[in-house]
Amino acid sequence: MRRRLAFELRFQAHPDSRAWNVAWSSSGTLLASCGGDRAVRIWAREGASWQCKCLLEDGHQRTVRKVSWSPCGNYLASVSFDATTCIWRKKEDGFELLTTLEGHENEVKSVAWAPSGSLLATCSRDKSVWVWEVDEEDDYECVSVLNAHTQDVKHVIWHPNGELLASGSYDNSIKLYKEEDDDWVCVSTLEGHESTVWSIAFDKTGERLVSCSDDKTVKIWKAYRPGNEQGVVCSGSDLSWKCVCTLSGFHTRPIYDISWCHMTDAIATACGDDAVRIFEEDPGSDPHQPTFSLTAHIPKAHTQDVNCVAWNPKQAGLLASCSDDGDITIWRYEFED
Amino acid sequence: RFRGKGYQEGFTEGGHLGETEGRRYGLANGAKIGSEVSFYKGFAFTWKCLLQKNQDAQKNSKRLKVLNTLLEMVQRFPYEDPTYDKLQEDLEKMRAKFKQICSLLNVQPACQNATAAGMSF
């Protein structure tokens, strides 16, 4: 049965500026967005439209680049070009600014809350990844500063089981980190992309990772354990990641974001050619040499670069995208009838 | 034959110049790294003393742990061996540890070197 990506709704999120990122709360009912207007907006569906429920301004002095919800849904982290990370706490009538984390030397590019809810990771143009721990009293403490990358770090994301952290950088590599003796260390470097790695996503099992790059390709990586039958070399007891598939020739410009749906396994990409594309693994494909097909393509999803795509974690097929044009678009990935 | 001789002379001359430049570079860099690492040592020792006087045990135990880690790194650093293959890597780890401790202590340090090449943190 054929699929299609149906347009549902488009609305202006950040007037006269870029919409950089959208993030769904874990319940799937709220959508947070952030942009060049230095604000964070919280959106909720009301009938057929989406309304701005909260406007979080005065937190940052410059562009807000990314937002991330805590797993419990009560906190939101936002990071900005002003080198700070703001933690917002949800209350009945809105959000309050709980604290501002400093430490990065320049623009913070990404933030991700760990599945446990007690760790937060940020990364910056200063080439470092910081891991923060939060205790029951809402005190944030830096537990590690990781200088593994040699260039601007663009993206951080946690493995679904929370024990592994991944980062993508302008140095063309992906690095994985693990906690060892109370400190975080880089345990793996994934090379293969020929240019900046803009974004990374894990599938719901955490056995596979997908990355997108300035080199216009998407790579799928698979985790191999020591003693695996395929003869993939592993060091010690650590996982070894191997690139098992490269999707090239589909995108005509840099791919800025990628999202792997944990409900349908579909992969969505946000591209500099203004398009949104969906890929799915072919049924029956070899797990060690999987093949993926382009199942949907919207060439003019936005009027400018698409910066972010995000699958709703609870409603299968619901996808949000945002762009340099300041808009957020809601899509529905469904079977054609 | 003359070409060969010319090459030999040029190579020797180049070698001399290279050695001089290398020596100068090594001295300058060695001094820079030396002063950076010893700054961390002094910084860590000072804060260790300050915290040990303070009664707030729980919060300080975490900070002392990180300070001790930094001191261990300084201790382990091979001052005698510029050809140590993990020199830059260890130095980066030390810098990262220093940034972490500054964040935990809530201090913004500024270190001005006596030489022209100043460091900023």
Side-chain angles (χ1 to χ4, degrees):
Chain A
M1 268 231 274
R2 285 191 42 159
R3 305 267 208 183
R4 68 162 171 219
L5 189 64
F7 170 89
E8 199 174 274
L9 173 68
R10 173 172 293 128
F11 53 93
Q12 195 183 55
H14 294 273
D16 301 321
S17 49
R18 298 175 213 258
W20 276 115
N21 190 237
V22 280
W24 294 99
S25 63
S26 39
S27 64
T29 53
L30 294 176
L31 184 67
S33 72
C34 62
D37 58 353
R38 309 191 295 277
V40 173
R41 284 185 171 80
I42 313 292
W43 307 86
R45 195 204 286 274
E46 246 167 54
S49 68
W50 287 80
Q51 297 298 326
C52 178
K53 289 293 177 187
C54 296
L55 170 60
L56 276 45
E57 39 185 11
D58 303 328
H60 292 291
Q61 263 77 63
R62 289 181 62 189
T63 292
V64 187
R65 186 63 178 82
K66 274 230 172 74
V67 280
S68 177
W69 290 92
S70 67
C72 64
N74 295 325
Y75 300 89
L76 187 69
S78 64
V79 293
S80 162
F81 286 177
D82 67 7
T84 69
T85 302
C86 283
I87 310 290
W88 308 83
R89 179 163 53 193
K90 187 156 168 278
K91 304 195 313 185
E92 313 90 55
D93 59 342
F95 282 78
E96 68 172 347
L97 179 61
L98 187 63
T99 185
T100 301
L101 307 176
E102 293 176 340
H104 280 296
E105 292 169 26
N106 44 46
E107 292 90 331
V108 189
K109 299 297 179 87
S110 185
V111 60
W113 226 297
S116 64
S118 57
L119 293 174
L120 188 71
T122 58
C123 67
S124 159
R125 184 167 73 80
D126 67 10
K127 309 173 199 166
S128 67
V129 170
W130 287 51
V131 182
W132 307 82
E133 190 173 56
V134 54
D135 62 20
E136 311 83 45
E137 283 131 39
D138 282 343
D139 275 333
Y140 288 77
E141 230 176 42
C142 173
V143 295
S144 204
V145 173
L146 298 151
N147 279 343
H149 280 293
T150 56
Q151 296 288 353
D152 190 348
V153 191
K154 302 290 191 185
H155 191 86
V156 272
I157 189 150
W158 291 91
H159 186 278
N161 72 12
E163 287 161 14
L164 207 61
L165 178 65
S167 64
S169 163
Y170 181 68
D171 68 10
N172 308 354
S173 75
I174 296 163
K175 286 188 186 280
L176 299 170
Y177 312 86
K178 198 171 78 166
E179 196 176 10
E180 244 166 56
D181 299 326
D182 256 3
D183 206 356
W184 286 78
V185 293
C186 175
V187 289
S188 219
T189 300
L190 274 46
E191 286 167 325
H193 277 297
E194 290 164 16
S195 189
T196 304
V197 179
W198 281 107
S199 186
I200 305 166
F202 282 99
D203 72 353
K204 69 164 174 280
T205 64
E207 298 285 306
R208 293 189 303 184
L209 181 168
V210 68
S211 58
C212 66
S213 162
D214 210 64
D215 67 9
K216 307 179 210 150
T217 70
V218 165
K219 282 184 186 287
I220 288 115
W221 309 77
K222 189 175 156 71
Y224 287 90
R225 300 204 147 63
N228 65 80
E229 292 167 357
Q230 286 68 38
V232 176
V233 176
C234 299
S235 76
S237 58
D238 282 332
L239 292 174
S240 194
W241 294 80
K242 183 172 161 227
C243 177
V244 292
C245 181
T246 299
L247 302 173
S248 49
F250 294 99
H251 300 84
T252 62
R253 289 269 160 82
I255 311 164
Y256 293 120
D257 198 23
I258 196 155
S259 182
W260 207 329
C261 183
H262 288 191
M263 299 185 78
T264 65
D265 263 346
I267 296 172
T269 61
C271 188
D273 61 9
D274 310 350
V276 167
R277 293 171 177 80
I278 314 285
F279 295 86
E280 278 198 80
E281 189 173 1
D282 298 328
S285 90
D286 176 356
H288 305 290
Q289 277 183 267
T291 56
F292 286 76
S293 297
L294 177 69
T295 56
H297 175 203
I298 311 282
K300 280 278 155 211
H302 285 272
T303 56
Q304 290 183 58
D305 290 5
V306 189
N307 293 320
C308 176
V309 275
W311 290 104
N312 187 295
K314 288 285 183 287
Q315 296 176 61
L318 196 63
L319 182 75
S321 66
C322 72
S323 157
D324 274 358
D325 62 15
D327 290 344
I328 291 177
T329 308
I330 308 288
W331 311 87
R332 198 166 282 283
Y333 185 55
E334 55 195 13
F335 288 112
E336 263 178 32
D337 41 29
Chain B
R1 194 166 55 120
F2 289 113
R3 213 183 323 144
K5 193 163 187 287
Y7 174 83
Q8 276 294 76
E9 286 180 16
F11 192 84
T12 317
E13 174 86 23
H16 283 145
L17 287 171
E19 212 176 301
T20 316
E21 195 180 327
R23 191 162 210 270
R24 219 181 315 143
Y25 185 76
L27 273 171
N29 254 26
K32 242 201 318 191
I33 293 175
S35 76
E36 185 181 345
V37 177
S38 37
F39 169 73
Y40 296 146
K41 190 174 182 180
F43 176 91
F45 262 133
T46 310
W47 275 100
K48 201 174 158 180
C49 293
L50 288 172
L51 290 181
Q52 275 165 344
K53 291 222 178 116
N54 198 303
Q55 298 307 327
D56 191 352
Q58 204 192 30
K59 215 171 188 182
N60 284 343
S61 71
K62 174 72 194 264
R63 296 164 171 188
L64 279 167
K65 190 155 182 251
V66 184
L67 281 168
N68 279 324
T69 307
L70 183 58
L71 283 168
E72 269 168 48
M73 288 171 138
V74 169
Q75 193 84 326
R76 276 200 314 257
F77 197 74
Y79 300 100
E80 310 293 309
D81 183 14
T83 58
Y84 173 54
D85 59 350
K86 288 199 177 172
L87 195 101
Q88 281 307 321
E89 205 180 296
D90 283 3
L91 201 49
E92 281 298 338
K93 287 198 178 139
M94 236 191 277
R95 287 182 183 136
K97 206 34 89 173
F98 176 68
K99 286 222 189 101
Q100 188 201 346
I101 190 70
C102 286
S103 175
L104 288 172
L105 294 171
N106 211 1
V107 294
Q108 311 298 335
C111 168
Q112 245 36 56
N113 242 0
T115 67
M119 281 183 273
S120 63
F121 294 90

